[in-house]
Amino acid sequence: MLIADDQQVVRGGLVLLIGMLDGIEVVGAARDGAEAVELTERLRPDLVLMDLNMPVLDGVAATAALREKVPGSAVLVLTTYVDDDSVFPALRAGARGYLTKGADDDEVETAIRHVRAGRTWLDPVVQARLVAALQPDQAAPTATPPHPPGSARRGADTLPDGLTPREAEVLTLIAHGLSNAEICARLVVSQATVKAHINRFFAKIGAADRAQSERYAYRNDLVDAG
């Protein structure tokens, strides 16, 4: 599969994460939509994990181009946006799945395997928006699903510096003094996954070590100072 995301930290983290999944090979990574189309035409991956907000050519236009030029390569959108102006154009352009960047590692893997198998996969928030669109008398759901118990105190829609709910959760557990091994056991994920989350939020918050991360968590109200 191929990964397209304009943020180097996110792109590198996804390459690392997905590269560890059994039976899935990452054959390339694109920095924008135009490069995603070019690499897909050349490498012919079975799946493209596509961000939407990218320079040169955005994810919707790139998805439409791929549907025409490389119909054998399915597109799974992975983005922070779940508004109508993002969801519906992406699906009309030919995306077979739509996932938010608040998804945890298991959700990402499940979505990838579904779309690679020829099925569709929609984030629950996206499903709700589609239902609301077909029932215009009902109010559209909020864009951000509730975060799991035990995660950061702040809601996903107020997390600072572009942190995802899972990154904030790992950061919160570090602030509570848990080791990587203890975080793995708590979240039922691998050491490599935890390290990938840590590396991503280190880059986002400008932390050099766990102590700086802990101070950041308290300063930004991610954990209870009491």
Side-chain angles (χ1 to χ4, degrees):
M1 66 175 292
L2 185 136
I3 294 167
D5 197 295
D6 65 320
Q7 296 183 34
Q8 182 177 354
V9 172
V10 175
R11 190 171 62 249
L14 288 170
V15 169
L16 178 63
L17 169 66
I18 295 170
M20 295 185 296
L21 301 179
D22 291 338
I24 299 177
E25 179 185 4
V26 178
V27 298
R31 295 164 294 183
D32 55 59
E35 187 175 28
V37 174
E38 187 273 325
L39 288 177
T40 302
E41 286 187 280
R42 177 157 53 90
L43 301 174
R44 303 281 165 163
D46 58 354
L47 176 65
V48 179
L49 192 62
M50 184 80 74
D51 188 20
L52 290 185
N53 187 20
M54 293 188 292
V56 186
L57 191 68
D58 65 35
V60 171
T63 298
L66 291 180
R67 182 174 63 176
E68 178 182 349
K69 296 180 179 182
V70 197
S73 296
V75 172
L76 169 61
V77 170
L78 179 63
T79 182
T80 58
Y81 302 101
V82 288
D83 57 283
D84 292 353
D85 290 338
S86 299
V87 172
F88 298 126
L91 296 178
R92 292 191 195 103
R96 294 271 294 278
Y98 199 109
L99 197 63
T100 67
K101 289 184 177 178
D104 63 26
D105 298 346
D106 292 337
E107 290 174 300
V108 173
E109 179 179 0
T110 300
I112 288 172
R113 295 197 185 280
H114 270 72
V115 176
R116 289 181 79 225
R119 298 187 291 270
T120 59
W121 182 270
L122 298 178
D123 187 281
V125 176
V126 174
Q127 293 181 36
R129 296 197 78 84
L130 290 175
V131 171
L134 295 174
Q135 301 173 341
D137 57 314
Q138 296 187 14
T142 56
T144 308
H147 54 80
S151 61
R153 294 180 68 225
R154 293 174 60 166
D157 57 338
T158 63
L159 291 173
D161 296 313
L163 291 174
T164 66
R166 180 47 67 95
E167 289 166 356
E169 187 173 21
V170 174
L171 175 55
T172 300
L173 293 175
I174 286 178
H176 282 301
L178 274 68
S179 66
N180 283 12
E182 290 170 328
I183 294 172
C184 290
R186 175 75 65 88
L187 301 181
V188 196
V189 296
S190 68
Q191 287 267 8
T193 296
V194 170
K195 289 179 181 178
H197 284 309
I198 292 173
N199 288 337
R200 287 199 292 268
F201 72 64
F202 268 21
K204 289 181 178 180
I205 70 177
D209 54 38
R210 296 171 79 95
Q212 290 183 3
S213 296
E214 181 176 349
R215 289 194 293 272
Y216 176 93
Y218 281 100
R219 188 169 63 248
N220 286 276
D221 196 33
L222 295 175
V223 290
D224 191 343

